[in-house]
Amino acid sequence: MKFGVHYIDFLPGAPERLAPTLAATAKAAEDAGVEMFTLADHFFQMEGIGRAEDPFLEGYTSLGYLAGLTERITLTMLVTGVTYRHPGVLAKTMTTLDVLAGGRTMLGLGAAWYDREHHALGIPYPPLRERFEMLEETLQICLQMWSPDDGPYEGKHYRLAETICQPQPLRRPPILLGGAGEKKTLRMVARYADVWNSTTPIEELPHKLDVLRRHCDEAGRDFDEIMLTAGHFADPFDNVDDYRRQVDRYAGLGIDLLNVGPFPGTPDPEGWVRRFGDEVLPRVTA
């Protein structure tokens, strides 16, 4: 089992604390040997985590900052809302991040959901059906821009006269799709994704995996080509043996990587990650 650290709580307080705390936490994750460091792509803090008025740094600026401070760890959004950036601009932004990070990126995408920040900032928030159409077209545009084809793209929602993207990524960023919708999301995972990320409760995961397998069969895709990741935010320190058993359950379902992270309100996220690396990782990966 591999692990990633998901960082979502930019601690309220003095703005000058935000950059050093973020940097120290990412470095701690790299030192611990985890595979990924991920941020949520939002402009307001999520209301399930804190207040919308709490600090929240823009994601791609933050990942670019971390690209210069880390050397090995994969940097990605978990996940980018498809509505936030025009797909041509998103592909260029991702390419820049990949080049600056030395090929250590992944494109995480989802259909977007946080309506408050859309309405507040004047970002169009179309119905869910249209957002899924936009998501598929965005995937197609990014793949075209990361290919030798720099010609036009004609879709229902997006029309690009040229798809020039220079420089190209050092490697084509793997595509991660988040969500568990059985009719649309998992179908797109089967068709486009290198990685699937789920926040589905573990009791429901076997069914979701079966649905994904069926979509892979229909698409002529090898299910085993898709890396399976899941969020697991239980307290790892309360009972490490019990935590290891929980990790084993995910591994038994074929999950390749678990996203963990400091709980909202953790005053020392760097310390949390270092403790996880010292006390928990050696026992759950033995």
Side-chain angles (χ1 to χ4, degrees), residues 97-178:
L97 177 63
D98 188 77
V99 169
L100 296 179
R104 295 182 289 121
T105 65
M106 188 179 292
L107 173 62
L109 274 176
W113 60 269
Y114 196 178
D115 54 345
R116 178 175 177 177
E117 63 186 351
H118 286 78
H119 299 320
L121 299 179
I123 301 168
Y125 189 65
L128 183 60
R129 175 183 57 80
E130 293 183 26
R131 300 202 306 275
F132 271 107
E133 293 171 350
M134 294 164 63
L135 176 59
E136 186 155 22
E137 290 189 16
T138 295
L139 289 166
Q140 294 168 356
I141 290 166
C142 288
L143 289 172
Q144 181 169 325
M145 290 184 68
W146 296 333
S147 79
D149 181 2
D150 59 7
Y153 176 88
E154 292 287 336
K156 178 179 178 181
H157 298 278
Y158 303 111
R159 293 167 179 80
L160 285 68
E162 298 179 274
T163 51
I164 296 170
C165 187
Q166 292 298 334
Q168 286 281 290
L170 299 190
R171 59 162 188 166
R172 198 271 283 166
I175 291 171
L176 178 152
L177 291 179

Side-chain angles (χ1 to χ4, degrees), residues 111-271:
W113 60 269
Y114 196 178
D115 54 345
R116 178 175 177 177
E117 63 186 351
H118 286 78
H119 299 320
L121 299 179
I123 301 168
Y125 189 65
L128 183 60
R129 175 183 57 80
E130 293 183 26
R131 300 202 306 275
F132 271 107
E133 293 171 350
M134 294 164 63
L135 176 59
E136 186 155 22
E137 290 189 16
T138 295
L139 289 166
Q140 294 168 356
I141 290 166
C142 288
L143 289 172
Q144 181 169 325
M145 290 184 68
W146 296 333
S147 79
D149 181 2
D150 59 7
Y153 176 88
E154 292 287 336
K156 178 179 178 181
H157 298 278
Y158 303 111
R159 293 167 179 80
L160 285 68
E162 298 179 274
T163 51
I164 296 170
C165 187
Q166 292 298 334
Q168 286 281 290
L170 299 190
R171 59 162 188 166
R172 198 271 283 166
I175 291 171
L176 178 152
L177 291 179
E182 297 180 12
K183 293 182 179 179
K184 294 184 178 180
T185 302
L186 293 181
R187 178 189 65 81
M188 275 195 269
V189 171
R191 184 171 180 184
Y192 295 103
D194 303 290
V195 184
W196 175 51
N197 184 73
S198 171
T199 56
T200 301
I202 192 169
E203 293 77 17
E204 300 174 23
L205 261 178
H207 170 70
K208 298 294 185 181
L209 291 167
D210 285 342
V211 173
L212 179 56
R213 286 188 183 93
R214 290 200 298 270
H215 283 301
C216 285
D217 289 342
E218 292 168 2
R221 176 85 185 276
D222 183 354
F223 173 83
D224 293 331
E225 291 178 355
I226 301 172
M227 180 181 179
L228 305 175
T229 72
H232 183 56
F233 297 102
D235 185 349
F237 308 121
D238 182 51
N239 185 323
V240 177
D241 288 333
D242 183 59
Y243 187 82
R244 182 175 61 187
R245 285 189 287 270
Q246 296 173 41
V247 171
D248 287 343
R249 288 183 66 194
Y250 281 99
L253 293 173
I255 301 300
D256 300 297
L257 179 146
L258 287 178
N259 294 299
V260 302
F263 299 128
T266 300
D268 179 17
E270 176 197 2

Side-chain angles (χ1 to χ4, degrees), residues 12-40:
E16 61 269 19
R17 294 180 53 211
L18 298 179
T21 301
L22 173 63
T25 306
K27 290 177 182 177
E30 186 164 74
D31 292 344
V34 303
E35 295 294 315
M36 295 199 305
F37 190 85
T38 60
L39 302 176

